[in-house]
Amino acid sequence: LEFRRVLFRSTQGYAERFVSACLAYDEHRADEILTEAIQVYSVEHTCLEVIEPALRRIGELWWRNELPVAAEHLASSVVRDRIAVLSRSFARAHAERLAVLACAPSEMHEIGPAMLGLFLRRRGWRVLSLGQDTPIRDIERVADALHPMAVVVSATQIPAARHAADL
């Protein structure tokens, strides 16, 4: 039990330091913090216990108008870049299992699906990411053409979720 508390405090410390670096517009330091966390924890653990809480905190500060949009964009950029680099290192062009990931129409939050794509690639899947604000008809076209084992449509807000329900 004590080990779990220390582990939690440690990941929380990385998340807090990442938030602080982004608030100071220190892209280099924010990236270094992610590098350190990945050296200590698995990629999945870093994503779920460091990056996700840090981005949630940044979103809360932005929502309360306590953080400039630029700091939120910086944090998202650093995370997107890191996930992209890691994803490329695990990409499989000819894997048997294919997943298609997309954000629902009007959904602009793509980091969650990007993390899922990274997790799947690390497990041998081929992943096709269609990105933000993908029309439902386009998702259907891709699914019809490629016959993936999984189609994941991400929606973080109710209007986007309603669009995803049309699939």
Side-chain angles (χ1 to χ4, degrees):
L1 183 61
E2 186 58 34
F3 174 73
R4 292 189 77 167
R5 275 193 220 124
V6 169
L7 187 63
F8 173 75
R9 279 195 299 260
S10 298
T11 56
Q12 185 178 22
Y14 282 109
E16 290 170 0
R17 289 177 26 226
F18 180 82
V19 170
S20 295
C22 292
L23 288 172
Y25 306 108
D26 190 343
E27 178 183 27
H28 180 73
R29 183 68 189 130
D31 191 58
E32 282 181 340
I33 291 163
L34 295 183
T35 298
E36 290 173 22
I38 289 169
Q39 289 172 347
V40 174
Y41 304 106
S42 70
V43 168
E44 290 82 359
H45 193 84
T46 299
C47 285
L48 298 174
E49 301 297 332
V50 176
I51 294 172
E52 192 275 330
L55 293 179
R56 187 174 348 105
R57 177 71 178 137
I58 286 169
E60 290 166 358
L61 293 170
W62 173 83
W63 183 255
R64 292 196 314 251
N65 215 16
E66 297 174 15
L67 174 126
V69 171
E72 187 272 336
H73 285 192
L74 172 65
S76 296
S77 177
V78 169
V79 169
R80 264 194 314 272
D81 289 351
R82 177 52 58 105
I83 291 172
V85 167
L86 290 168
S87 289
R88 280 190 295 277
S89 70
F90 292 101
R92 308 253 192 297
H94 302 291
E96 284 184 36
R97 296 174 295 180
L98 169 64
V100 174
L101 310 180
C103 293
S106 77
E107 179 61 61
M108 302 306 288
H109 296 91
E110 65 182 340
I111 292 175
M115 281 185 191
L116 175 59
L118 172 59
F119 299 166
L120 290 170
R121 283 181 180 102
R122 284 176 47 89
R123 284 160 183 77
W125 286 64
R126 183 169 69 109
V127 176
L128 179 65
S129 296
L130 303 179
Q132 304 170 331
D133 191 23
T134 307
I136 294 298
R137 183 65 193 128
D138 288 358
I139 298 167
E140 290 170 338
R141 281 185 190 119
V142 170
D144 288 343
L146 300 179
H147 307 288
M149 287 186 74
V151 175
V152 178
V153 180
S154 176
T156 62
Q157 311 231 344
I158 291 174
R162 286 188 182 120
H163 287 295
D166 294 337
L167 187 60

